[in-house]
């Protein structure tokens, strides 16, 4: 059983250690990391999952971006510790934070990921949305938190400097 809570400053090192455990070396070289440089994550949407013993089992973060001038949220990274995978924790983190983003009045969320996995949360391929290279366009996915939020939104994804 895991408890979800907003990430605190004290959680930062543990979240980074979890990401190091779950992702390949050099993860910071990915295009999505370039959009995060010098931009703080959206604190209200950074959530950690801890078990009864206080061990971190998962974490998720979101970052502000602009797509063709329209505000969007970039979901990721989301990670689940290998010992907790297969228990639905990743899905719980995604569902919880998408609900929080919607309650905050956010309209659209995007990510780079596997369409078959993320489709269950309402994500689909974004045509015309260009992540910095090298990113496979087939993996650029979006979810509208407001009906039609992605309609007509296209262009390059850029870091949002004002949060």
């Amino acid at each position: 059983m895991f408890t979800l809570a907003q990430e605190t400053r004290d959680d930062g090192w543990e979240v980074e250690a979890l990401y190091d455990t779950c992702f390949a070396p050099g993860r910071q070289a990915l295009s999505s990391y370039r959009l995060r440089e010098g931009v703080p994550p959206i604190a209200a949407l950074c959530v950690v999952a801890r078990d009864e013993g206080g061990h971190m089992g998962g974490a998720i973060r979101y970052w502000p971006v602009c797509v063709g001038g329209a505000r969007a949220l970039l979901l990721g990274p989301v990670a689940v510790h290998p010992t907790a995978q297969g228990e639905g924790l990743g899905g719980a983190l995604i569902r919880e934070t998408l609900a929080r983003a919607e309650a905050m009045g956010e309209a659209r969320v995007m990510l780079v990921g596997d369409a078959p996995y993320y489709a269950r949360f309402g994500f689909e391929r974004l045509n015309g949305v260009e992540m910095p290279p090298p990113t496979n366009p087939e993996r650029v996915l979006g979810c509208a938190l407001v009906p039609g939020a992605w309609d007509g939104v296209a262009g390059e994804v850029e870091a949002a400097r004002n949060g």
Side-chain angles (χ1 to χ4, degrees):
M1 178 60 104
F2 287 90
T3 301
L4 304 184
Q6 186 171 328
E7 180 183 332
T8 68
R9 240 178 310 162
D10 292 340
D11 293 326
W13 71 269
E14 217 171 344
V15 171
E16 289 300 322
L18 176 66
Y19 290 155
D20 287 343
T21 297
C22 294
F23 300 114
R27 66 182 166 89
Q28 290 91 350
L30 297 172
S31 61
S32 55
Y33 275 84
R34 282 183 264 149
L35 298 169
R36 299 174 185 137
E37 291 173 358
V39 180
I42 300 171
L45 299 176
C46 295
V47 174
V48 297
R50 293 189 179 277
D51 66 14
E52 299 88 356
H55 300 101
M56 187 171 294
I60 191 169
R61 288 178 172 164
Y62 286 74
W63 308 80
V65 294
C66 289
V67 180
R71 177 180 169 87
L73 300 179
L74 178 63
L75 185 163
V78 57
V80 174
H81 193 279
T83 60
Q85 290 179 1
E87 299 179 23
L89 187 53
L93 286 163
I94 293 167
R95 281 189 296 278
E96 171 69 20
T97 54
L98 288 176
R100 287 183 185 196
E102 184 176 10
M104 291 168 56
E106 297 290 350
R108 61 190 69 80
V109 179
M110 65 172 299
L111 57 81
V112 177
D114 296 320
Y117 177 79
Y118 288 103
R120 70 187 85 183
F121 307 109
F123 285 87
E124 55 191 23
R125 177 145 185 257
L126 291 175
N127 293 309
V129 174
E130 303 167 24
M131 283 289 288
T135 302
N136 179 345
E138 298 290 324
R139 296 176 51 82
V140 179
L141 310 175
C143 175
L145 300 177
V146 173
W150 282 106
D151 293 354
V153 177
E156 293 183 13
V157 181
E158 301 174 330
R161 297 294 172 199
N162 61 1

